[in-house]
Amino acid sequence: MLNRVVHVLACPHCGAALTQRDRALLCTAGHNFDIAKQGYVNLLSGATKHSADTKEMVDARDEFLSAGHYAPISEALVELARRTVDPSVPGCVVDIGGGTGYYHARVMDAFPDAEGILLDISKFAARRAAKAHSRIGAAVADAWQDLPLKDGAASLVLNTFAPRNGPELGRVLAPGGVLLVVTPRPGHLQELIDALGLLRVDERKESRLTEQLAPYFSVAESERLTRTMTLDHRALAQLVGMGPNAWHSDARDVQERIGQLPDPCRVTLSVTLTAYRPLG
């Protein structure tokens, strides 16, 4: 798929356009990036200070999402995209920090003529994303660095539980395009926070997000989604192991705590979905 989206990519070292030759992407300055046998390309511009999801984290996320526990989020995201995307705006569907491509693939199904590129800092996520959909290409990149994309490359940018680099998101989004952001609300997973020692969602998360993006975007539409999930102990372990809580908890302690919960357990899903338009 990379050969179909290479026209929107930019060299992470010099910003020049990339072209594909055999199993590599090249720029006119001579920078060369091999395409992995799994179908993704590593476009990191250098060392990163941020942690990439491990194979175990990606495996847990893939199994949890494939079971449909977060299907309400993907369904709401698709509907929001349908309401806000202007089909006359040129560009790709870009997913920043897109993980395994679960949400991206469902949005692509809703836009059968679109092409997509997913960026994630984890090579293990990129491996899965490269196979998530026939119209999605995948690359390893750090959301906090300059994105390896041309100016105005995206008609739609997805950002689901991922870092938000306001200047870069504004740069790569085409005029008339839309940025869709999904963030957890304070009540998200509330039954598990104390029971499993999970991280709490900041009460000011939504207002901080708006402040963070205000220099580059205006809010076009926002909605809150709350549902109740029924999760068995295996799903609970995957839920903890697939996200940032995995970096802050001991796996053995988590398993012991999970064993003390009902099986299955009712857990709150609560997120905000927001559509942003670029200023100017």
Side-chain angles (χ1 to χ4, degrees):
M1 181 57 203
L2 282 171
N3 64 332
R4 295 179 58 181
V5 294
V6 68
H7 64 282
V8 305
L9 296 175
C11 176
H13 299 301
C14 65
L18 292 173
T19 57
Q20 182 172 349
R21 184 181 304 166
D22 299 325
R23 297 291 300 177
L25 302 185
L26 304 88
C27 79
T28 53
H31 298 120
N32 186 310
F33 308 91
D34 291 335
I35 299 174
K37 64 180 181 180
Q38 295 91 348
Y40 72 94
V41 63
N42 190 329
L43 295 180
L44 277 174
S45 60
T48 175
K49 298 181 293 184
H50 305 284
S51 299
D53 287 352
T54 64
K55 181 181 184 301
E56 291 74 21
M57 293 171 70
V58 171
D59 288 346
R61 181 180 296 114
D62 184 60
E63 189 169 347
F64 183 87
L65 294 176
S66 297
H69 300 302
Y70 276 6
I73 299 177
S74 66
E75 293 163 2
L77 187 64
V78 167
E79 290 306 312
L80 184 58
R82 284 176 170 152
R83 292 197 304 270
T84 57
V85 169
D86 181 351
S88 68
V89 176
C92 283
V93 178
V94 176
D95 195 346
I96 307 295
T100 62
Y102 172 80
Y103 300 104
H104 199 176
R106 279 141 188 84
V107 171
M108 295 300 288
D109 284 340
F111 295 89
D113 296 326
E115 295 174 341
I117 180 74
L118 182 147
L119 306 179
D120 198 280
I121 197 173
S122 168
K123 67 179 181 180
F124 301 107
R127 287 177 182 176
R128 289 189 181 271
K131 298 178 173 60
H133 196 281
S134 61
R135 288 182 280 114
I136 292 177
V140 175
D142 185 348
W144 292 117
Q145 296 178 354
D146 293 344
L147 299 175
L149 297 167
K150 295 179 180 178
D151 294 356
S155 58
L156 169 61
V157 174
L158 306 175
N159 184 274
T160 307
F161 303 115
R164 293 164 296 276
N165 184 341
E168 279 298 280
L169 292 174
R171 180 185 68 80
V172 303
L173 191 60
V178 63
L179 164 67
L180 302 185
V181 178
V182 179
T183 53
R185 301 190 63 234
H188 188 57
L189 311 182
Q190 59 187 0
E191 297 84 357
L192 305 179
I193 292 174
D194 291 331
L196 302 183
L198 305 188
L199 299 171
R200 294 183 181 275
V201 178
D202 186 349
E203 294 282 347
R204 293 190 62 251
K205 191 173 185 69
E206 290 183 27
S207 60
R208 286 194 301 105
L209 172 61
T210 300
E211 293 169 4
Q212 177 188 8
L213 296 179
Y216 317 99
F217 297 92
S218 61
V219 175
E221 187 175 336
S222 184
E223 65 177 274
R224 292 175 174 177
L225 172 70
T226 300
R227 297 286 188 273
T228 298
M229 302 179 289
T230 302
L231 306 178
D232 61 19
H233 283 186
R234 181 176 178 83
L236 291 177
Q238 293 163 357
L239 181 58
V240 177
M242 74 182 195
N245 286 291
W247 299 110
H248 302 278
S249 58
D250 177 78
R252 181 174 298 179
D253 178 62
V254 169
Q255 282 298 141
E256 292 177 356
R257 291 183 179 222
I258 288 175
Q260 298 173 15
L261 295 176
D263 190 8
C265 183
R266 294 170 66 83
V267 180
T268 299
L269 179 160
S270 187
V271 300
T272 299
L273 299 95
T274 308
Y276 293 90
R277 297 287 185 191
L279 297 178

